[in-house]
Amino acid sequence: MVRRLFNIFKLGQLPAGARIAVLAPGVAFCLAFLLSGWLSSAAVAAIAIALAVIGAACLREHADPKPLAEAPPDMPTAVLEGISDAVLILDSDRAVIVANRAARDLLGDNVVGRDLALSLRHPEALDVANKAIEGQDDGTAEIVMHVPVQRVFVARAVPLQMAGQPRFLLALQEVTAARNAEQIRADFVANVSHELRSPLSSLVGFIETLQNAAHDDEAARDRFLGIMSEESHRMARLIDDLLSLSRVEANEHVRPGGQLDIAAILTGVADSVSVQAEEKGMAIELIDLEAQPTIVGDQDELIEVFHNLLVNAIKYGHDNTTVRVAVSTVDRIPEVGGRGISVAVIDKGDGIAAEDVPRLTERFYRVDKGRSRSMGGTGLGLAIVKHIVNRHRGRLVIRSEVGAGSQFIVYLPVFAPAADQQTP
Ligand code: ADP
């Protein structure tokens, strides 16, 4: 009887302590009423059983561990969706079972449910998947996708077990940015070596000529020495510009804090290049220098900016023209914001074709290589200008018209009391 009651009310499923807690008040209640003789023994038994049932129900409610919510069947997809690399899960026939968002963006929405080869036409990546499926060593492969833009990925596959089934995870990790950076670095080193090698081989050649054929030819000797002097100066300028560029790049994240007078900087630079201008019959006109607000910056760097721009205006401007340097204040620096001044260096030269304008600030980019070299250019001047202006949280804007001339406009922030200096 007791066992049956235990089974009916599932008291047996409770821990021993809980069973005592459930039964004790009922038993105590029954004994009290039996002894007092108030109720019949049947009624006492019924009340005791009712109390035990209520107690057991309460205890089970609190004691039973709640069953865990079942993991949703699409759990792997939900986790993979948040990963930025393209991730696919394949079965042993190489059919795609799961593809995360990045994989669907890369390979198309219909990638799931089909052989991977129908969506990913890269033998190297398929080979990586095949090797994982065949249980061979998991390797990696670098693949290049050309459409719509060139992107580079590293494909990697590993075997898995999902619900007891053999599965294979294929990840396509994008490494385009890293490969581009490596390419830029390699190009830079190649460019620097090339730029240094040509004056160097010219020097070596002239030295050999002077030692042999031109040994006793006074006229040739003077001419060759002149060229050698030019070439060695070009090498020195190139090294100076490279050092300058790397110094500016290293500090680009630190905004300079000096308070400067733009009029003093421009007057000093104009004086320093006046001889060069006079050699071409050119004049430099400084416009609206007076009463300009104080600017924030690094004096030496800003001298370098305006020196490079004025030298270019003289080099690429036509003989007997005037280079104008016009200063004005602006309420908002384009794209950057904040009050500033603009300094426009305006020449009357050949101008620059629209397709070349966006590339002028790239290192070693020259519209006409031969012309730049013959005028002693390094191809680094505008790259330095751009980095310095960026460091000042300013902006460089280039406007040019073929046949009419060019304007290089530098925007720089003006000094403002602390509350206004929000830009990091
Ligand atoms: P470079 O030492 O060759 O002058 P820069 O970086 O200063 O190098 O300039 C890059 C190229 O931009 C130059 O080779 C030239 O083709 C072009 N350029 C620069 N300034 C001017 C200008 N004022 N007018 C026409 N072309 C210019």
Side-chain angles (χ1 to χ4, degrees):
M1 162 74 179
V2 173
R3 180 166 295 280
R4 187 175 295 168
L5 280 175
F6 260 59
N7 288 342
I8 289 172
F9 300 110
K10 300 199 170 96
L11 293 178
Q13 292 175 8
L14 292 173
R19 260 181 264 160
I20 292 167
V22 167
L23 295 177
V27 172
F29 178 88
C30 296
L31 282 176
F33 277 96
L34 274 175
L35 291 176
S36 67
W38 269 27
L39 292 171
S40 70
S41 48
V44 167
I47 292 168
I49 290 166
L51 281 174
V53 169
I54 293 165
C58 290
L59 268 181
R60 249 203 317 274
E61 176 71 15
H62 294 286
D64 272 2
K66 292 243 186 314
L68 281 175
E70 288 235 331
D74 62 346
M75 194 63 180
T77 323
V79 173
L80 297 179
E81 284 296 290
I83 297 176
S84 55
D85 291 333
V87 181
L88 304 124
I89 295 176
L90 314 174
D91 67 11
S92 37
D93 292 328
R94 210 178 54 189
V96 179
I97 303 171
V98 174
N100 71 351
R101 177 174 298 282
R104 294 194 306 275
D105 287 347
L106 187 68
L107 305 175
D109 281 336
N110 56 359
V111 59
V112 178
R114 309 194 300 166
D115 181 3
L116 177 68
L118 296 174
S119 316
L120 182 62
R121 293 167 203 276
H122 281 272
E124 302 90 343
L126 294 175
D127 202 37
V128 168
N130 291 341
K131 278 191 179 144
I133 291 170
E134 287 158 15
Q136 296 180 29
D137 259 0
D138 51 342
T140 60
E142 190 159 304
I143 59 170
V144 182
M145 295 191 182
H146 294 278
V147 180
V149 288
Q150 182 162 305
R151 297 170 75 184
V152 188
F153 295 85
V154 172
R156 201 171 275 121
V158 284
L160 305 168
Q161 282 289 325
M162 275 173 64
Q165 301 289 320
R167 298 288 184 244
F168 306 89
L169 185 140
L170 177 70
L172 299 172
Q173 183 196 5
E174 178 150 23
V175 291
T176 314
R179 294 294 177 271
N180 283 350
E182 282 163 22
Q183 188 60 46
I184 288 170
R185 212 168 27 239
D187 288 351
F188 183 64
V189 172
N191 275 325
V192 170
S193 347
H194 174 75
E195 295 288 335
L196 283 173
R197 191 179 296 127
S198 44
L200 201 58
S201 37
S202 140
L203 280 179
V204 171
F206 283 121
I207 290 169
E208 280 169 6
T209 316
L210 284 173
Q211 283 171 332
N212 301 304
H215 192 263
D216 299 319
D217 182 342
E218 205 169 319
R221 206 170 50 215
D222 285 350
R223 196 160 58 83
F224 292 166
L225 283 173
I227 299 171
M228 287 166 72
S229 156
E230 234 167 66
E231 293 294 320
S232 42
H233 279 115
R234 189 145 77 88
M235 283 169 69
R237 266 196 310 277
L238 183 62
I239 289 163
D240 284 348
D241 278 358
L242 283 170
L243 289 175
S244 187
L245 191 59
S246 75
R247 206 173 34 240
V248 177
E249 271 185 326
N251 292 326
E252 203 164 332
H253 59 288
V254 188
R255 191 179 171 183
Q259 295 176 36
L260 306 174
D261 174 14
I262 190 67
I265 292 174
L266 294 176
T267 315
V269 175
D271 283 348
S272 72
V273 298
S274 59
V275 176
Q276 226 169 312
E278 278 159 22
E279 279 170 7
K280 287 185 75 182
M282 295 171 90
I284 298 171
E285 186 185 356
L286 299 175
I287 303 164
D288 290 339
L289 283 200
E290 303 79 28
Q292 292 297 345
T294 304
I295 56 165
V296 190
D298 177 300
Q299 173 136 333
D300 290 343
E301 288 189 356
L302 292 182
I303 288 175
E304 194 167 358
V305 163
F306 294 111
H307 181 269
N308 287 357
L309 293 181
L310 271 172
V311 166
N312 278 354
I314 296 166
K315 276 194 310 196
Y316 301 106
H318 291 155
D319 289 4
N320 307 314
T321 55
T322 298
V323 173
R324 291 184 300 136
V325 182
V327 186
S328 57
T329 51
V330 291
D331 289 335
R332 191 176 178 284
I333 298 178
E335 290 179 41
V336 176
R339 238 180 119 238
I341 61 156
S342 73
V343 182
V345 179
I346 307 159
D347 68 62
K348 287 203 165 57
D350 287 342
I352 306 155
E355 66 267 24
D356 289 315
V357 170
R359 302 200 57 193
L360 293 182
T361 53
E362 286 174 22
R363 294 146 199 223
F364 299 114
Y365 187 83
R366 291 129 155 165
V367 178
D368 179 344
K369 245 186 172 143
R371 189 167 170 215
S372 157
R373 282 229 180 90
S374 69
M375 289 190 286
T378 60
L380 292 173
L382 291 180
I384 295 172
V385 167
K386 186 184 158 192
H387 281 286
I388 293 179
V389 173
N390 283 350
R391 182 176 178 226
H392 282 72
R393 310 300 186 257
R395 184 110 176 86
L396 171 70
V397 174
I398 304 172
R399 294 200 188 114
S400 191
E401 202 182 316
V402 176
S406 311
Q407 289 191 29
F408 289 77
I409 308 165
V410 174
Y411 293 89
L412 292 167
V414 296
F415 173 76
D420 270 13
Q421 298 279 312
Q422 297 291 342
T423 323

